[in-house]
Amino acid sequence: ATSGETDNVSSGSISDTTIDGDAFGLFATVTRALTIDGAAISNSLADGVLLHRSVTETSITDTTSNGNGGVGFLVDRGASGARLTRVTASHNAEEGIKVDGEALAVGASASGASTTTTSDNHILNGVVRDNARTGIEVVGGNDVEISGNTITGNQEGIVVRAAAQSPTIVNNTVNNQVGFTTVPSDARST
């Protein structure tokens, strides 16, 4: 886990690491410029990789997240600027990859939670297969790019919902889904 404080943001790098059978494989909050490269996360009770609140400018490359009890890679509310490149998410109990870009709060909140949606998240050249729910799901947020991925054998392929703004979905191969693939009418896709 990597965690900072509002006034003291953490950062760092994780490489060539194997994590098997933890509650969360990798958990980050209040972190900037985290780099994860060549990690293998499997059999977590919950999510494999969770980028939680106030995580920005994260790069995840050549990393696998398999057989977890939740989502393989979760870019959660309040996390932005994540770049997932050549990742593999397979056999997870929920989504392979999920980007939740909705705001932490809809209006004023007692905790001062942000009412801003997150943006600038990228899922590039990955393999997303045989997850119990959706291969890649985007919920809200702005400027999400899903490009060059192979998505196969999931319940649904790519699902974009909850008023996600200006997603770019290009050059993906989606096949052998049990259900369907949903792309919003304002998505730029090929």
Side-chain angles (χ1 to χ4, degrees), residues 16 36-40 60-64 73 84-88:
D16 302 318
I36 301 168
D37 182 44
I60 303 174
T61 308
D62 298 322
T63 294
T64 62
F73 294 90
L84 284 67
T85 307
R86 295 184 309 276
V87 300
T88 299

Side-chain angles (χ1 to χ4, degrees), residues 77-78 100-106 114-118 141:
R77 293 179 180 199
D100 189 342
E102 292 189 305
L104 293 170
V106 176
S114 175
T115 57
T116 304
T117 59
T118 60

